[in-house]
Amino acid sequence: MNEKDVPALLALFAQQSSENALLIMDPAGAIVWCNGTCERLFGYPGSELRGRPLRSLFTPEDADKRIPEYELHVAAHSEDVNNDRWMLRADGSRFWATGNTVGLRNKEGKVTGFAKILRDSTDVKEQLETLRNQLKSVADSDQHKTRFLATLSHEVRNPLSALASGVEIMRQQPAMVSDTLGMFERQLKHLYRLAEDLLDVTRISTGKVKLDFQVHDIREPIANAVESVGPLLAGRRHRIDQHILDVPLLVRADPIRLEQVFSNLLANSAKYTPEGGQIELRASTGAGEVWVHVIDNGIGIPPETLPHVFDLFTRGDSASAQATDGLGIGLSLVREFIELHGGSVQVRSDGPGKGSEFTVRLPLADATDRMATSYNTPRSTDTSVDAAQPES
Ligand code: ADP
């Protein structure tokens, strides 16, 4: 073999290369020759490719922007053009092509045609997209964590400053001790709750949550939650209407965790509803499940925030603007705990100012569980409690 054999070998390469699609165009951009890979890649028989303008293989968006003409123009007047872009198959589907277009000049430098070589790199493009998305979500979660640390610092500093001023008051006015102790108790409770929530997040992420499953009437944790959120509801002069089915609603669950779930939902309704608001608590059954709805007529949730409210460290803008306490942890714990019980939680809001509705669905205890447990404590229901007593 010697140099004079090269043109024939190049022709064989062009015909036999299984990865590279090769096209030869005339100076006007009409295809005059292509190899078998080109037919396979674009999904046209060679007879339909020959004579076809190159631009018909471009996506309509690129063709509208006159990219095919631009590509040939640059190849004709300066140098090879990279042509990494989506291209169109005969059936309308697309693939990510990477390659080059070359202007073919004769001895006088006149462009006598073009050659285009490309390959299908859709998988690489997809991997890149996946990596890009992963990078973005890492960056987002990093940003969330930074924001979380900032909020956490405030959340801890505020009660600490209150405690510090309490100490000062007691030092200067010993008569104020009993008043100040009440405040101490509240602030310490707040800090304790904060630490517990943070520990729960860690327990969940390390799979170390312990649930104490018991068959019980879900109306008990609901009632306990209403009681524990009572001072907050009263402090904000909210009215709470309860429509709870008047029969035992037996579930197999951890009553302490359920109380935590309903307290979180009720506390959010209280926080994100302007003073004197209306909160509704409903419990009913259907399709082997118990449904608990917590509904408020508060600030509502914008549609773009709705899909993220259950994500860890998510705080709505309005939440930060209102500077209410909270770290963006509560709803994520609600979802985790409910899912660990085989249930689900959903949110609905018609938008800012239109209130919110959270629905918890849990499986009812099955027949065997029910028979093993006797209940004689149907609690009275359908009550309206005007929680208008401010916290003392
Ligand atoms: P936070 O500690 O901020 O209250 P949550 O995880 O409990 O954290 O809630 C996440 C975000 O969801 C809140 O910051 C708020 O923007 C929004 N949200 C939760 N409950 C309600 C509600 N009842 N009404 C309006 N917005 C709510």
Side-chain angles (χ1 to χ4, degrees):
M1 186 193 303
N2 58 40
E3 211 174 312
K4 74 175 177 10
D5 296 324
V6 170
L9 292 171
L10 275 177
L12 286 178
F13 165 71
Q15 278 159 20
Q16 292 172 12
S17 171
S18 61
E19 290 287 321
N20 298 298
L22 280 147
L23 296 138
I24 303 291
M25 276 79 62
D26 68 15
I31 298 167
V32 290
W33 180 88
C34 62
N35 67 357
T37 305
C38 201
E39 295 175 30
R40 186 172 53 76
L41 213 55
F42 286 98
Y44 290 101
S47 55
E48 279 189 36
L49 278 171
R50 282 187 289 279
R52 175 178 283 275
L54 176 68
R55 74 183 333 267
S56 69
L57 304 179
F58 281 65
T59 62
E61 308 88 273
D62 283 353
D64 283 351
K65 285 190 236 153
R66 300 188 56 78
I67 302 272
E69 288 76 13
Y70 171 77
E71 206 173 280
L72 295 184
H73 178 81
V74 178
H77 291 93
S78 47
E79 52 201 31
D80 295 8
V81 201
N82 277 338
N83 47 22
D84 298 359
R85 58 174 52 89
W86 293 106
M87 306 239 14
L88 210 56
R89 292 196 185 92
D91 63 4
S93 62
R94 295 166 182 221
F95 67 94
W96 182 256
T98 50
N100 281 76
T101 304
V102 184
L104 304 171
R105 293 180 195 82
N106 61 16
K107 278 193 206 125
E108 290 77 42
K110 187 168 180 294
V111 174
T112 54
F114 297 95
K116 191 173 177 69
I117 181 164
L118 57 92
R119 56 167 53 217
D120 180 354
S121 301
T122 312
D123 52 345
V124 178
K125 173 79 173 163
E126 281 168 357
Q127 281 166 14
L128 273 175
E129 281 303 314
T130 314
L131 274 177
R132 194 169 293 146
N133 289 340
Q134 282 170 349
L135 268 178
K136 187 172 171 335
S137 81
V138 169
D140 283 354
S141 104
D142 198 46
Q143 211 179 8
H144 269 127
K145 276 198 183 124
T146 312
R147 272 184 21 212
F148 164 74
L149 285 176
T151 321
L152 179 62
S153 320
H154 274 100
E155 285 293 308
V156 174
R157 201 180 54 185
N158 293 346
L160 286 179
S161 348
L163 292 173
S165 19
V167 170
E168 199 49 39
I169 290 171
M170 288 199 294
R171 186 174 289 136
Q172 291 176 10
Q173 304 171 47
M176 297 283 289
V177 166
S178 71
D179 286 358
T180 315
L181 280 181
M183 182 273 281
F184 267 39
E185 209 172 9
R186 277 199 305 280
Q187 297 296 352
L188 286 173
K189 223 156 125 186
H190 179 67
L191 282 171
Y192 184 73
R193 180 75 266 146
L194 210 67
E196 277 299 310
D197 278 357
L198 287 170
L199 278 174
D200 278 342
V201 171
T202 319
R203 284 183 194 119
I204 284 172
S205 66
T206 53
K208 289 194 179 134
V209 185
K210 285 204 184 78
L211 294 178
D212 178 16
F213 282 96
Q214 304 172 16
V215 177
H216 67 279
D217 186 345
I218 200 171
R219 294 176 306 164
E220 285 168 14
I222 292 178
N224 292 341
V226 172
E227 197 180 315
S228 73
V229 180
L232 179 61
L233 295 171
R236 294 182 58 78
R237 294 185 294 104
H238 291 315
R239 180 188 158 86
I240 176 162
D241 286 342
Q242 299 188 56
H243 304 282
I244 313 274
L245 211 62
D246 197 7
V247 288
L249 302 170
L250 297 188
V251 289
R252 185 167 226 293
D254 183 332
I256 302 290
R257 293 310 191 182
L258 290 192
E259 179 183 333
Q260 193 178 344
V261 161
F262 299 124
S263 299
N264 272 339
L265 293 177
L266 284 167
N268 276 350
S269 288
K271 281 195 306 188
Y272 301 117
T273 299
E275 287 202 6
Q278 179 81 30
I279 293 167
E280 209 177 304
L281 187 56
R282 293 183 167 271
S284 55
T285 56
E289 289 182 322
V290 51
W291 295 33
V292 182
H293 306 264
V294 179
I295 307 162
D296 63 57
N297 64 348
I299 63 170
I301 302 171
E304 64 277 13
T305 311
L306 271 183
H308 308 291
V309 285
F310 295 105
D311 295 347
L312 190 58
F313 306 143
T314 292
R315 297 198 72 214
D317 284 345
S318 46
S320 8
Q322 293 210 343
T324 53
D325 56 340
L327 294 170
I329 290 182
L331 285 183
S332 120
L333 291 179
V334 164
R335 181 174 62 184
E336 295 287 351
F337 284 137
I338 291 301
E339 288 182 355
L340 284 172
H341 282 88
S344 63
V345 56
Q346 277 141 12
V347 59
R348 217 182 72 85
S349 172
D350 290 334
K354 304 266 177 63
S356 310
E357 173 172 356
F358 286 83
T359 305
V360 170
R361 295 164 68 156
L362 279 171
L364 278 169
D366 61 27
T368 346
D369 280 334
R370 285 202 297 274
M371 269 155 52
T373 319
S374 62
Y375 267 83
N376 53 7
T377 54
R379 185 174 284 108
S380 96
T381 48
D382 223 36
T383 53
S384 277
V385 179
D386 203 343
Q389 292 303 309
E391 190 187 0
S392 59

